[in-house]
Amino acid sequence: MKIKKGDNIKIIKGKDRGKTGKVLKTFVKENKVLVEALNLFKKRVRPKRQGEKGEIVTVPRPVPASNVMLVCPGCKNAVRIGYSIEGDVKKRICKKCQSRID
């Protein structure tokens, strides 16, 4: 997976199309990413103690990685990601401006 935790991404497909956010967690086996404050769903929570009321909370759900693109810090656009090998280290690069993505 080319997207990592902490990357800024843009959603290109789905109900939150066009919105940007930060990746909180990646699920490599499922090929999904969890994005901060995007793809929110309502979840009903049962009361934990007697006399307390149940509530409805909004939680983010994972988005398929194929529905997001990385936002390049150099050119500020949603871009595809390439790789360059410098010595023994493999680095991610922006396909548009060729700047390195850390």
Side-chain angles (χ1 to χ4, degrees):
M1 185 182 293
K2 295 182 178 186
I3 296 170
K4 297 180 180 179
K5 179 181 173 183
D7 286 345
N8 285 320
I9 56 104
K10 183 175 187 176
I11 295 185
I12 59 170
K13 192 175 181 183
K15 68 174 188 172
D16 289 330
R17 181 183 316 138
K19 295 181 182 177
T20 59
K22 187 177 178 183
V23 175
L24 297 175
K25 191 174 181 181
T26 59
F27 303 96
V28 180
K29 287 185 179 178
E30 292 116 40
N31 199 28
K32 293 185 178 192
V33 291
L34 187 68
V35 185
E36 182 178 39
L38 292 178
N39 199 33
L40 297 174
F41 283 85
K42 292 188 176 179
K43 179 181 177 182
R44 278 83 178 166
V45 179
R46 288 181 159 236
K48 290 183 173 66
R49 295 186 199 96
Q50 192 174 5
E52 200 175 276
K53 286 196 169 188
E55 51 187 332
I56 299 173
V57 293
T58 54
V59 292
R61 282 206 185 147
V63 181
S66 60
N67 295 352
V68 299
M69 287 182 83
L70 186 88
V71 175
C72 175
C75 56
K76 306 286 190 243
N77 292 324
V79 294
R80 289 184 291 154
I81 306 162
Y83 288 102
S84 69
I85 299 169
E86 299 169 4
D88 295 339
V89 183
K90 188 177 178 183
K91 297 285 183 178
R92 297 186 299 167
I93 60 166
C94 170
K95 288 268 192 164
K96 281 188 180 177
C97 66
Q98 300 297 315
S99 66
R100 221 171 84 199
I101 300 167
D102 292 325

